[in-house]
Amino acid sequence: MPNIDSLTRDLWQVVAATNEITPGLVETTLLLDTRIAITRDRDGAPIVWRRSDEEQGDEIDPATVTERLPVITGYGYIWTSFGNPPAELFPIPEYAEPDRVNMSCGSIGIHVSAPRAVENFLDMGHFPYVHTDILGAEPHTEVKEYDVEVSEERDEVLATRCRFFQPRAALSATEGQEVEYVYRVPHPFCSVLYKSCPEDESRRDVIAIFLQPMTEERCRAHLLQSMIDSTSTITDLRRFQQTIFGQDKPILENQFPKRLPLDPRSETPIRADKSAIAYRRWLSQKGITYGVIPAAS
Ligand SMILES: [Fe+2]
């Protein structure tokens, strides 16, 4: 049993898409090396508990579950905690805008730590090589100068003015364009990105990745899209995002070590890694040890 740092223990952790849990049926999954079970009651309210080895079967009367873990729902997902979680999840205000198409885009198991997956999500340098002719294309390989800060007030990493030429920035894009990104890391294992919206120049599409740390070297990526797109179907929007993530998965699984090294000297940084460096430092300062290799003190 690994040592779970107190901050990780007290966080809300994503465990499943709400609409994929059927009332009265049990889904099991792994969170922080612990087997948990999830169901919903007749009113649709989620229930999460530690699954014991003796428990069997896929059906349950939710009323019989007495030892429940804390639960909150948000952004289409169920979140739980092994400690004392905050009153609310981190905010994504755009999610509530009435004309947005909000959708979960699936939960994908990846054999890498959650922090490694966050760091890959922040990296624009891989676009032309991994998402060729969609999110990037040669010769447009340069990651231009951008700004990174850690907001003390909101306790999150923020990268702004990130610009990249993309052949097909979104499903609704009809031609290549220079796209502007803003990245937030409002939770050690979650990131939210805002990118230029091809349909409305004044607004941004929102794509978020919520990582469920299953073990220190394995996670599930739960994806959210909150889009301004009046023409595409939800199925097509989902498929677009799944295609992108399908390209990231093998790259992520080839990373070594699978835990994220926090020592600044462990991997040679280049300018494009500015947000990654800020993220690693933020994790270090917080005292996160789960899924990382802490810096030598
Ligand atoms: Fe990627």
Side-chain angles (χ1 to χ4, degrees):
M1 185 76 192
N3 195 10
I4 299 166
D5 61 86
S6 60
L7 191 106
T8 296
R9 192 176 287 275
D10 283 340
L11 288 170
W12 285 116
Q13 307 284 2
V14 66
V15 289
T18 310
N19 61 16
E20 281 173 16
I21 301 297
T22 310
L25 290 187
V26 179
E27 278 290 328
T28 60
T29 185
L30 202 58
L31 177 65
L32 302 171
D33 298 87
T34 304
R35 175 77 32 202
I36 60 165
I38 313 162
T39 192
R40 292 203 287 162
D41 67 18
R42 219 177 295 151
D43 301 322
I47 299 160
V48 181
W49 69 100
R50 284 188 173 85
R51 176 84 157 179
S52 70
D53 292 342
E54 297 80 58
E55 278 179 74
Q56 297 289 330
D58 318 332
E59 287 179 41
I60 194 155
D61 174 1
T64 62
V65 183
T66 50
E67 304 264 310
R68 301 178 181 197
L69 291 167
V71 163
I72 198 168
T73 53
Y75 315 127
Y77 288 94
I78 298 169
W79 307 67
T80 191
S81 178
F82 291 134
N84 298 303
E88 288 175 9
L89 287 174
F90 55 86
I92 308 178
E94 294 76 13
Y95 188 83
E97 293 171 2
D99 62 341
R100 275 184 189 267
V101 192
N102 290 324
M103 75 208 77
S104 56
C105 302
S107 303
I108 303 145
I110 322 169
H111 192 183
V112 82
S113 69
R116 278 278 193 201
V118 170
E119 193 175 87
N120 176 72
F121 191 73
L122 299 176
D123 169 48
M124 286 182 292
H126 75 280
F127 287 172
Y129 312 107
V130 178
H131 308 296
T132 312
D133 297 333
I134 306 175
L135 301 185
E138 293 182 86
H140 308 280
T141 56
E142 190 202 1
V143 178
K144 301 186 180 81
E145 190 64 40
Y146 60 95
D147 299 324
V148 186
E149 60 166 323
V150 175
S151 162
E152 296 286 335
E153 183 202 338
R154 292 196 312 275
D155 188 25
E156 66 177 40
V157 180
L158 185 69
T160 53
R161 279 198 323 119
C162 310
R163 289 152 297 146
F164 211 83
F165 177 84
Q166 299 198 326
R168 195 170 187 200
L171 189 57
S172 59
T174 51
E175 56 188 20
Q177 61 181 142
E178 184 169 91
V179 176
E180 189 164 343
Y181 275 54
V182 169
Y183 287 100
R184 291 171 54 204
V185 187
H187 176 299
F189 310 133
C190 300
S191 182
V192 185
L193 90 80
Y194 299 76
K195 63 187 287 187
S196 319
C197 166
E199 192 171 305
D200 181 345
E201 281 179 17
S202 68
R203 300 174 73 186
R204 297 253 168 95
D205 284 329
V206 180
I207 300 166
I209 187 169
F210 309 137
L211 282 321
Q212 171 189 343
M214 302 176 82
T215 71
E216 294 214 72
E217 299 195 344
R218 206 174 269 279
C219 66
R220 276 213 298 175
H222 303 271
L223 300 167
L224 162 74
Q225 285 191 114
S226 182
M227 312 297 276
I228 308 291
D229 186 326
S230 56
T231 52
S232 307
T233 66
I234 288 200
T235 307
D236 289 343
L237 285 167
R238 255 198 199 117
R239 196 168 294 145
F240 183 79
Q241 205 51 48
Q242 283 166 351
T243 300
I244 305 274
F245 206 79
Q247 295 171 332
D248 283 308
K249 182 177 152 84
I251 306 293
L252 273 164
E253 295 188 331
N254 276 327
Q255 293 200 337
F256 181 83
K258 291 190 179 293
R259 289 184 294 150
L260 182 69
L262 297 188
D263 191 319
R265 292 157 301 183
S266 59
E267 286 172 13
T268 318
I270 53 168
R271 183 164 56 108
D273 285 337
K274 221 158 90 173
S275 53
I277 292 164
Y279 172 59
R280 291 180 186 202
R281 195 177 297 145
W282 185 65
L283 292 181
S284 268
Q285 283 165 356
K286 284 180 158 310
I288 296 275
T289 59
Y290 196 86
V292 303
I293 300 169
S297 48

